[in-house]
mmCIF file of all heavy atoms in Angstrom:
data_model
loop_
_atom_site.group_PDB
_atom_site.id
_atom_site.type_symbol
_atom_site.label_atom_id
_atom_site.label_comp_id
_atom_site.label_asym_id
_atom_site.label_seq_id
_atom_site.Cartn_x
_atom_site.Cartn_y
_atom_site.Cartn_z
ATOM 1 N N LEU D 1 111.853 96.090 85.700
ATOM 2 C CA LEU D 1 112.535 96.880 86.632
ATOM 3 C C LEU D 1 113.442 97.914 85.982
ATOM 4 O O LEU D 1 114.104 98.762 86.626
ATOM 5 C CB LEU D 1 113.438 96.094 87.615
ATOM 6 C CG LEU D 1 112.817 94.894 88.272
ATOM 7 C CD1 LEU D 1 113.798 94.190 89.110
ATOM 8 C CD2 LEU D 1 111.751 95.462 89.315
ATOM 9 N N GLY D 2 113.499 97.977 84.660
ATOM 10 C CA GLY D 2 114.447 98.680 83.902
ATOM 11 C C GLY D 2 115.559 97.816 83.489
ATOM 12 O O GLY D 2 115.704 96.614 83.937
ATOM 13 N N GLU D 3 116.503 98.275 82.665
ATOM 14 C CA GLU D 3 117.707 97.541 82.188
ATOM 15 C C GLU D 3 118.802 98.347 82.119
ATOM 16 O O GLU D 3 118.732 99.581 81.925
ATOM 17 C CB GLU D 3 117.157 96.708 80.986
ATOM 18 C CG GLU D 3 117.011 97.614 79.820
ATOM 19 C CD GLU D 3 116.618 96.782 78.568
ATOM 20 O OE1 GLU D 3 116.250 95.565 78.739
ATOM 21 O OE2 GLU D 3 116.554 97.276 77.483
ATOM 22 N N GLY D 4 119.966 97.763 81.994
ATOM 23 C CA GLY D 4 121.248 98.412 81.756
ATOM 24 C C GLY D 4 121.408 99.417 82.932
ATOM 25 O O GLY D 4 121.235 99.147 84.095
ATOM 26 N N GLU D 5 121.879 100.622 82.607
ATOM 27 C CA GLU D 5 122.064 101.623 83.556
ATOM 28 C C GLU D 5 120.767 102.080 84.299
ATOM 29 O O GLU D 5 120.713 102.642 85.420
ATOM 30 C CB GLU D 5 122.730 102.941 82.983
ATOM 31 C CG GLU D 5 124.120 102.669 82.493
ATOM 32 C CD GLU D 5 124.720 103.988 81.976
ATOM 33 O OE1 GLU D 5 124.112 104.966 81.882
ATOM 34 O OE2 GLU D 5 126.044 103.946 81.634
ATOM 35 N N GLY D 6 119.626 101.861 83.648
ATOM 36 C CA GLY D 6 118.297 102.186 84.195
ATOM 37 C C GLY D 6 117.773 101.059 85.099
ATOM 38 O O GLY D 6 116.625 101.221 85.581
ATOM 39 N N LEU D 7 118.540 99.924 85.277
ATOM 40 C CA LEU D 7 117.997 98.930 86.206
ATOM 41 C C LEU D 7 117.711 99.491 87.549
ATOM 42 O O LEU D 7 118.490 100.116 88.187
ATOM 43 C CB LEU D 7 119.050 97.844 86.276
ATOM 44 C CG LEU D 7 118.505 96.548 87.084
ATOM 45 C CD1 LEU D 7 117.288 95.810 86.388
ATOM 46 C CD2 LEU D 7 119.726 95.604 87.244
ATOM 47 N N GLY D 8 116.420 99.334 88.016
ATOM 48 C CA GLY D 8 116.022 99.747 89.411
ATOM 49 C C GLY D 8 115.203 101.062 89.240
ATOM 50 O O GLY D 8 114.735 101.447 90.271
ATOM 51 N N THR D 9 115.179 101.783 88.202
ATOM 52 C CA THR D 9 114.436 102.969 88.030
ATOM 53 C C THR D 9 113.167 102.861 87.380
ATOM 54 O O THR D 9 112.494 103.867 86.995
ATOM 55 C CB THR D 9 115.269 104.022 87.425
ATOM 56 O OG1 THR D 9 115.741 103.542 86.063
ATOM 57 C CG2 THR D 9 116.632 104.422 88.123
ATOM 58 N N THR D 10 112.571 101.694 87.429
ATOM 59 C CA THR D 10 111.279 101.367 86.968
ATOM 60 C C THR D 10 110.523 100.633 88.024
ATOM 61 O O THR D 10 111.113 99.567 88.525
ATOM 62 C CB THR D 10 111.141 100.581 85.690
ATOM 63 O OG1 THR D 10 111.613 101.356 84.592
ATOM 64 C CG2 THR D 10 109.654 100.209 85.398
ATOM 65 N N ILE D 11 109.461 101.198 88.587
ATOM 66 C CA ILE D 11 108.731 100.485 89.733
ATOM 67 C C ILE D 11 107.294 100.448 89.173
ATOM 68 O O ILE D 11 106.544 101.425 89.084
ATOM 69 C CB ILE D 11 108.838 101.316 91.007
ATOM 70 C CG1 ILE D 11 110.383 101.439 91.468
ATOM 71 C CG2 ILE D 11 107.926 100.713 92.091
ATOM 72 C CD1 ILE D 11 110.452 102.259 92.709
ATOM 73 N N ASN D 12 106.871 99.169 89.074
ATOM 74 C CA ASN D 12 105.410 98.853 88.689
ATOM 75 C C ASN D 12 104.732 98.232 89.894
ATOM 76 O O ASN D 12 105.277 97.233 90.530
ATOM 77 C CB ASN D 12 105.370 97.965 87.498
ATOM 78 C CG ASN D 12 105.725 98.668 86.286
ATOM 79 O OD1 ASN D 12 105.211 99.838 85.838
ATOM 80 N ND2 ASN D 12 106.633 98.173 85.435
ATOM 81 N N VAL D 13 103.459 98.585 90.074
ATOM 82 C CA VAL D 13 102.689 98.093 91.137
ATOM 83 C C VAL D 13 101.361 97.586 90.423
ATOM 84 O O VAL D 13 100.302 98.394 90.408
ATOM 85 C CB VAL D 13 102.343 98.904 92.275
ATOM 86 C CG1 VAL D 13 101.580 98.253 93.285
ATOM 87 C CG2 VAL D 13 103.645 99.424 92.882
ATOM 88 N N PRO D 14 101.243 96.488 89.876
ATOM 89 C CA PRO D 14 99.912 95.996 89.334
ATOM 90 C C PRO D 14 98.945 95.534 90.366
ATOM 91 O O PRO D 14 99.411 94.812 91.252
ATOM 92 C CB PRO D 14 100.405 94.738 88.364
ATOM 93 C CG PRO D 14 101.713 94.378 88.997
ATOM 94 C CD PRO D 14 102.271 95.503 89.672
ATOM 95 N N LEU D 15 97.763 95.962 90.287
ATOM 96 C CA LEU D 15 96.791 95.573 91.314
ATOM 97 C C LEU D 15 95.511 94.966 90.696
ATOM 98 O O LEU D 15 95.171 95.372 89.523
ATOM 99 C CB LEU D 15 96.412 96.865 92.155
ATOM 100 C CG LEU D 15 97.462 97.552 92.917
ATOM 101 C CD1 LEU D 15 96.976 98.802 93.521
ATOM 102 C CD2 LEU D 15 97.889 96.519 94.116
ATOM 103 N N PRO D 16 94.782 94.122 91.364
ATOM 104 C CA PRO D 16 93.530 93.496 90.743
ATOM 105 C C PRO D 16 92.478 94.409 90.786
ATOM 106 O O PRO D 16 92.470 95.490 91.466
ATOM 107 C CB PRO D 16 93.295 92.354 91.736
ATOM 108 C CG PRO D 16 93.910 92.739 93.012
ATOM 109 C CD PRO D 16 95.195 93.497 92.690
ATOM 110 N N ALA D 17 91.562 94.175 89.916
ATOM 111 C CA ALA D 17 90.286 95.061 89.865
ATOM 112 C C ALA D 17 89.689 95.182 91.195
ATOM 113 O O ALA D 17 89.725 94.288 92.041
ATOM 114 C CB ALA D 17 89.288 94.435 88.759
ATOM 115 N N ARG D 18 88.950 96.373 91.346
ATOM 116 C CA ARG D 18 88.186 96.649 92.563
ATOM 117 C C ARG D 18 89.042 96.872 93.831
ATOM 118 O O ARG D 18 88.545 96.753 94.866
ATOM 119 C CB ARG D 18 87.126 95.701 92.808
ATOM 120 C CG ARG D 18 86.083 95.391 91.653
ATOM 121 C CD ARG D 18 85.029 94.374 91.922
ATOM 122 N NE ARG D 18 84.040 94.347 90.807
ATOM 123 C CZ ARG D 18 84.255 93.471 89.787
ATOM 124 N NH1 ARG D 18 85.463 92.695 89.701
ATOM 125 N NH2 ARG D 18 83.446 93.474 88.778
ATOM 126 N N THR D 19 90.277 97.223 93.582
ATOM 127 C CA THR D 19 91.114 97.488 94.644
ATOM 128 C C THR D 19 90.816 98.960 95.173
ATOM 129 O O THR D 19 90.515 99.873 94.423
ATOM 130 C CB THR D 19 92.669 97.474 94.246
ATOM 131 O OG1 THR D 19 93.059 96.156 93.872
ATOM 132 C CG2 THR D 19 93.465 97.976 95.312
ATOM 133 N N GLY D 20 90.813 99.110 96.498
ATOM 134 C CA GLY D 20 90.317 100.358 97.116
ATOM 135 C C GLY D 20 91.507 101.118 97.647
ATOM 136 O O GLY D 20 92.668 100.838 97.506
ATOM 137 N N PHE D 21 91.121 102.340 98.221
ATOM 138 C CA PHE D 21 91.990 103.334 98.678
ATOM 139 C C PHE D 21 93.067 102.924 99.635
ATOM 140 O O PHE D 21 94.272 103.194 99.596
ATOM 141 C CB PHE D 21 91.346 104.507 99.176
ATOM 142 C CG PHE D 21 92.180 105.484 99.915
ATOM 143 C CD1 PHE D 21 93.106 106.353 99.266
ATOM 144 C CD2 PHE D 21 92.150 105.601 101.404
ATOM 145 C CE1 PHE D 21 93.920 107.160 99.946
ATOM 146 C CE2 PHE D 21 92.961 106.416 102.063
ATOM 147 C CZ PHE D 21 93.831 107.199 101.390
ATOM 148 N N HIS D 22 92.703 102.047 100.662
ATOM 149 C CA HIS D 22 93.661 101.724 101.708
ATOM 150 C C HIS D 22 94.765 100.932 101.148
ATOM 151 O O HIS D 22 95.846 100.979 101.657
ATOM 152 C CB HIS D 22 92.878 100.987 102.845
ATOM 153 C CG HIS D 22 92.371 99.537 102.404
ATOM 154 N ND1 HIS D 22 91.307 99.333 101.606
ATOM 155 C CD2 HIS D 22 92.926 98.251 102.700
ATOM 156 C CE1 HIS D 22 91.274 98.007 101.460
ATOM 157 N NE2 HIS D 22 92.122 97.370 102.070
ATOM 158 N N VAL D 23 94.587 100.131 100.041
ATOM 159 C CA VAL D 23 95.727 99.463 99.394
ATOM 160 C C VAL D 23 96.597 100.581 98.730
ATOM 161 O O VAL D 23 97.891 100.507 98.865
ATOM 162 C CB VAL D 23 95.221 98.434 98.378
ATOM 163 C CG1 VAL D 23 96.515 97.790 97.759
ATOM 164 C CG2 VAL D 23 94.401 97.400 99.099
ATOM 165 N N TYR D 24 96.055 101.484 97.922
ATOM 166 C CA TYR D 24 96.761 102.434 97.229
ATOM 167 C C TYR D 24 97.519 103.328 98.271
ATOM 168 O O TYR D 24 98.820 103.604 98.132
ATOM 169 C CB TYR D 24 95.879 103.371 96.405
ATOM 170 C CG TYR D 24 95.530 102.929 95.091
ATOM 171 C CD1 TYR D 24 94.513 102.036 94.824
ATOM 172 C CD2 TYR D 24 96.148 103.531 93.982
ATOM 173 C CE1 TYR D 24 94.193 101.597 93.636
ATOM 174 C CE2 TYR D 24 95.788 103.128 92.774
ATOM 175 C CZ TYR D 24 94.753 102.280 92.454
ATOM 176 O OH TYR D 24 94.376 101.893 91.218
ATOM 177 N N ASP D 25 96.893 103.734 99.398
ATOM 178 C CA ASP D 25 97.546 104.506 100.363
ATOM 179 C C ASP D 25 98.792 103.854 101.007
ATOM 180 O O ASP D 25 99.793 104.470 101.106
ATOM 181 C CB ASP D 25 96.521 104.852 101.462
ATOM 182 C CG ASP D 25 96.982 105.852 102.464
ATOM 183 O OD1 ASP D 25 97.485 106.910 102.086
ATOM 184 O OD2 ASP D 25 96.993 105.563 103.662
ATOM 185 N N SER D 26 98.687 102.667 101.298
ATOM 186 C CA SER D 26 99.865 101.924 101.816
ATOM 187 C C SER D 26 100.980 101.824 100.829
ATOM 188 O O SER D 26 102.198 101.951 101.216
ATOM 189 C CB SER D 26 99.351 100.450 102.316
ATOM 190 O OG SER D 26 98.500 100.424 103.234
ATOM 191 N N ILE D 27 100.677 101.513 99.510
ATOM 192 C CA ILE D 27 101.703 101.465 98.524
ATOM 193 C C ILE D 27 102.363 102.901 98.333
ATOM 194 O O ILE D 27 103.593 102.887 98.296
ATOM 195 C CB ILE D 27 101.035 101.053 97.209
ATOM 196 C CG1 ILE D 27 100.691 99.600 97.199
ATOM 197 C CG2 ILE D 27 102.052 101.301 95.930
ATOM 198 C CD1 ILE D 27 99.746 99.163 96.172
ATOM 199 N N PHE D 28 101.611 103.848 98.394
ATOM 200 C CA PHE D 28 102.182 105.276 98.177
ATOM 201 C C PHE D 28 103.142 105.499 99.438
ATOM 202 O O PHE D 28 104.221 106.048 99.114
ATOM 203 C CB PHE D 28 101.083 106.351 98.081
ATOM 204 C CG PHE D 28 100.637 106.624 96.690
ATOM 205 C CD1 PHE D 28 100.259 105.604 95.804
ATOM 206 C CD2 PHE D 28 100.612 107.921 96.181
ATOM 207 C CE1 PHE D 28 99.970 105.898 94.570
ATOM 208 C CE2 PHE D 28 100.260 108.278 94.991
ATOM 209 C CZ PHE D 28 99.901 107.246 94.097
ATOM 210 N N ARG D 29 102.592 105.293 100.603
ATOM 211 C CA ARG D 29 103.496 105.640 101.742
ATOM 212 C C ARG D 29 104.647 104.689 102.004
ATOM 213 O O ARG D 29 105.641 105.152 102.541
ATOM 214 C CB ARG D 29 102.536 105.744 103.010
ATOM 215 C CG ARG D 29 101.458 106.784 102.951
ATOM 216 C CD ARG D 29 100.651 106.891 104.197
ATOM 217 N NE ARG D 29 99.556 107.906 104.065
ATOM 218 C CZ ARG D 29 99.785 109.183 104.173
ATOM 219 N NH1 ARG D 29 101.009 109.606 104.561
ATOM 220 N NH2 ARG D 29 98.741 109.965 104.082
ATOM 221 N N GLN D 30 104.485 103.516 101.633
ATOM 222 C CA GLN D 30 105.514 102.463 102.080
ATOM 223 C C GLN D 30 106.484 102.027 100.948
ATOM 224 O O GLN D 30 107.537 101.435 101.203
ATOM 225 C CB GLN D 30 104.805 101.266 102.743
ATOM 226 C CG GLN D 30 104.119 101.609 104.072
ATOM 227 C CD GLN D 30 103.506 100.427 104.694
ATOM 228 O OE1 GLN D 30 104.243 99.489 105.030
ATOM 229 N NE2 GLN D 30 102.234 100.415 104.841
ATOM 230 N N VAL D 31 106.068 102.347 99.629
ATOM 231 C CA VAL D 31 106.897 102.005 98.506
ATOM 232 C C VAL D 31 107.221 103.241 97.663
ATOM 233 O O VAL D 31 108.417 103.527 97.483
ATOM 234 C CB VAL D 31 106.142 101.046 97.555
ATOM 235 C CG1 VAL D 31 106.984 100.629 96.345
ATOM 236 C CG2 VAL D 31 105.765 99.760 98.374
ATOM 237 N N MET D 32 106.233 103.959 97.222
ATOM 238 C CA MET D 32 106.507 105.221 96.441
ATOM 239 C C MET D 32 107.361 106.238 97.263
ATOM 240 O O MET D 32 108.417 106.778 96.818
ATOM 241 C CB MET D 32 105.316 105.862 96.093
ATOM 242 C CG MET D 32 105.552 107.076 95.134
ATOM 243 S SD MET D 32 104.135 108.098 94.720
ATOM 244 C CE MET D 32 104.008 108.881 96.361
ATOM 245 N N VAL D 33 107.055 106.528 98.525
ATOM 246 C CA VAL D 33 107.726 107.617 99.248
ATOM 247 C C VAL D 33 109.192 107.155 99.504
ATOM 248 O O VAL D 33 110.081 108.052 99.292
ATOM 249 C CB VAL D 33 107.024 107.991 100.609
ATOM 250 C CG1 VAL D 33 107.810 108.774 101.568
ATOM 251 C CG2 VAL D 33 105.700 108.697 100.162
ATOM 252 N N PRO D 34 109.440 105.901 99.997
ATOM 253 C CA PRO D 34 110.831 105.601 100.215
ATOM 254 C C PRO D 34 111.607 105.648 98.828
ATOM 255 O O PRO D 34 112.780 106.036 98.804
ATOM 256 C CB PRO D 34 110.814 104.195 100.770
ATOM 257 C CG PRO D 34 109.465 104.136 101.324
ATOM 258 C CD PRO D 34 108.505 104.931 100.565
ATOM 259 N N ALA D 35 111.002 105.193 97.738
ATOM 260 C CA ALA D 35 111.694 105.204 96.439
ATOM 261 C C ALA D 35 111.971 106.745 96.011
ATOM 262 O O ALA D 35 113.081 107.005 95.519
ATOM 263 C CB ALA D 35 110.883 104.444 95.419
ATOM 264 N N MET D 36 111.038 107.493 96.125
ATOM 265 C CA MET D 36 111.178 109.005 95.917
ATOM 266 C C MET D 36 112.323 109.526 96.775
ATOM 267 O O MET D 36 113.198 110.300 96.263
ATOM 268 C CB MET D 36 109.863 109.679 96.234
ATOM 269 C CG MET D 36 109.906 111.228 96.020
ATOM 270 S SD MET D 36 108.461 112.132 96.691
ATOM 271 C CE MET D 36 107.147 111.407 95.783
ATOM 272 N N ASP D 37 112.222 109.303 98.059
ATOM 273 C CA ASP D 37 113.235 109.749 98.989
ATOM 274 C C ASP D 37 114.743 109.273 98.566
ATOM 275 O O ASP D 37 115.625 110.031 98.518
ATOM 276 C CB ASP D 37 113.029 109.337 100.310
ATOM 277 C CG ASP D 37 113.967 109.917 101.456
ATOM 278 O OD1 ASP D 37 113.897 111.082 101.738
ATOM 279 O OD2 ASP D 37 114.836 109.155 101.950
ATOM 280 N N ARG D 38 114.847 107.990 98.112
ATOM 281 C CA ARG D 38 116.106 107.537 97.817
ATOM 282 C C ARG D 38 116.568 108.157 96.484
ATOM 283 O O ARG D 38 117.838 108.394 96.252
ATOM 284 C CB ARG D 38 115.985 105.896 97.673
ATOM 285 C CG ARG D 38 117.342 105.253 97.297
ATOM 286 C CD ARG D 38 117.215 103.772 97.268
ATOM 287 N NE ARG D 38 116.231 103.313 96.178
ATOM 288 C CZ ARG D 38 115.860 102.101 96.091
ATOM 289 N NH1 ARG D 38 116.283 101.171 96.843
ATOM 290 N NH2 ARG D 38 115.006 101.670 95.040
ATOM 291 N N PHE D 39 115.693 108.347 95.506
ATOM 292 C CA PHE D 39 116.091 108.842 94.242
ATOM 293 C C PHE D 39 116.401 110.396 94.249
ATOM 294 O O PHE D 39 117.151 110.768 93.576
ATOM 295 C CB PHE D 39 114.873 108.515 93.250
ATOM 296 C CG PHE D 39 115.203 108.863 91.678
ATOM 297 C CD1 PHE D 39 116.070 108.179 91.099
ATOM 298 C CD2 PHE D 39 114.487 110.015 91.205
ATOM 299 C CE1 PHE D 39 116.323 108.533 89.697
ATOM 300 C CE2 PHE D 39 114.855 110.393 89.855
ATOM 301 C CZ PHE D 39 115.671 109.628 89.169
ATOM 302 N N ASP D 40 115.717 111.030 95.157
ATOM 303 C CA ASP D 40 115.905 112.458 95.386
ATOM 304 C C ASP D 40 115.680 113.293 94.129
ATOM 305 O O ASP D 40 116.492 113.898 93.666
ATOM 306 C CB ASP D 40 117.303 112.644 95.909
ATOM 307 C CG ASP D 40 117.472 114.057 96.556
ATOM 308 O OD1 ASP D 40 116.553 114.630 96.968
ATOM 309 O OD2 ASP D 40 118.675 114.470 96.517
#
């Protein structure tokens, strides 16, 4: 997740092999976008 002052500014999403688009799409819209919005 980061450390020190950078704690919370690392976001990793490890996924198993053969993962398809609908999983990526959900992650982008429901995790990446809120994180982007919050970080500004």
Side-chain angles (χ1 to χ4, degrees):
L1 308 175
E3 62 184 14
E5 293 183 352
L7 182 63
T9 55
T10 294
I11 299 177
N12 285 308
V13 184
L15 295 172
R18 301 181 180 85
T19 296
F21 166 70
H22 67 286
V23 178
Y24 275 80
D25 186 53
S26 296
I27 290 165
F28 268 52
R29 294 182 183 279
Q30 298 183 59
V31 180
M32 185 193 74
V33 167
M36 178 193 299
D37 184 76
R38 182 177 66 185
F39 187 70
D40 197 23

